[in-house]
Amino acid sequence: GENVEQHPSTLSVQEGDSAVIKCTYSDSASNYFPWYKQELGKRPQLIIDIRSNVGEKKDQRIAVTLNKTAKHFSLHITETQPEDSAVYFCAASNGQAGTALIFGKGTTLSVSS
Amino acid sequence: SAVISQKPSRDICQRGTSLTIQCQVDSQVTMMFWYRQQPGQSLTLIATANQGSEATYESGFVIDKFPISRPNLTFSTLTVSNMSPEDSSIYLCSGTGTAEGYTFGSGTRLTVV
């Protein structure tokens, strides 16, 4: 089955800096790669996703890149703000087949002002 | 995208008892999934529930402990049976219609005393 590795486990940045979180996956059949932000006591919220037919996707300060050959994808947050502080999870699935999302272990991002 | 109502939102239960968690989706979804999120950890897949067939359980999870029902395309339940303090966790349901991505319920925070 799918296995998703996520690094780093914690990340501390100054406000305005960029943050990068990286994930690798094992199943070449995976074709859907979402990123979730989870604040304390709340459900995971989808912040951006990418499908295997594109290499990069951007949404304002957030971008995701995908390298299918190397089986890794990354989340990039630019101009970080204190409200970006949260736990971020990457995940992978075969979205076309409707298989379950398999999550990485998460990255705790702290943005200090 | 679909909206999932999950209940109860939290409960405190005595060891040895059982709790049934319900998830109601506002539209039909092909697949539903149940996850466990232990404190400070990532989401771990318990099982995949397809309508009209027995749920498929991940390694480490068994039907006797976590029986699941999926009577139609908009509803599913997870029962945590014969609970022990180690079952204290957040339980989340999720659904997908494949094209729309994945939606999560708000979670059930279970404490076993």
Side-chain angles (χ1 to χ4, degrees):
Chain A
E2 177 65 274
N3 182 52
V4 178
E5 300 283 341
Q6 182 172 348
H7 300 279
S9 57
T10 61
L11 181 59
S12 296
V13 300
Q14 291 286 323
E15 182 177 2
D17 288 349
S18 294
V20 180
I21 304 171
K22 298 182 178 181
C23 288
T24 60
Y25 63 98
S26 62
D27 190 349
S28 57
S30 290
N31 52 32
Y32 178 66
F33 308 93
W35 287 88
Y36 289 86
K37 177 182 180 181
Q38 189 176 35
E39 296 174 326
L40 197 62
K42 298 186 177 181
R43 81 184 86 182
Q45 294 286 347
L46 177 69
I47 57 171
I48 195 167
D49 58 10
I50 192 168
R51 297 183 188 271
S52 59
N53 56 345
V54 298
E56 183 175 2
K57 183 177 178 180
K58 291 185 71 173
D59 183 3
Q60 299 181 15
R61 297 186 297 109
I62 295 173
V64 57
T65 59
L66 170 66
N67 183 328
K68 282 218 74 179
T69 302
K71 294 184 187 167
H72 67 70
F73 56 112
S74 301
L75 176 71
H76 304 253
I77 306 174
T78 59
E79 301 172 27
T80 54
Q81 302 166 1
E83 49 267 38
D84 294 329
S85 297
V87 181
Y88 291 81
F89 294 101
C90 64
S93 76
N94 185 335
Q96 292 175 337
T99 61
L101 288 171
I102 302 301
F103 286 82
K105 292 192 181 303
T107 296
T108 301
L109 175 64
S110 300
V111 181
S112 53
S113 55
Chain B
S1 58
V3 175
I4 301 180
S5 300
Q6 182 173 344
K7 59 181 182 182
S9 58
R10 60 179 63 225
D11 208 340
I12 301 173
C13 301
Q14 295 291 322
R15 67 178 66 199
T17 63
S18 298
L19 176 72
T20 295
I21 302 167
Q22 300 180 1
C23 280
Q24 178 73 55
V25 193
D26 68 348
S27 61
Q28 293 183 345
V29 291
T30 309
M31 307 295 287
M32 290 191 74
F33 312 99
W34 287 93
Y35 292 87
R36 181 175 72 183
Q37 187 174 27
Q38 295 177 306
Q41 304 296 314
S42 183
L43 286 76
T44 299
L45 180 66
I46 296 172
T48 297
N50 200 359
Q51 184 204 4
S53 61
E54 197 168 276
T56 303
Y57 289 82
E58 298 298 303
S59 176
F61 298 96
V62 295
I63 188 172
D64 290 346
K65 177 68 176 177
F66 298 101
I68 289 170
S69 76
R70 181 87 198 276
N72 56 53
L73 291 175
T74 63
F75 189 77
S76 181
T77 67
L78 168 77
T79 299
V80 186
S81 303
N82 188 24
M83 289 183 286
S84 66
E86 293 71 37
D87 295 320
S88 297
S89 212
I90 296 173
Y91 293 85
L92 294 128
C93 62
S94 175
T96 183
T98 66
E100 302 84 15
Y102 297 75
T103 303
F104 283 86
S106 54
T108 297
R109 184 179 296 272
L110 171 62
T111 302
V112 183
V113 298

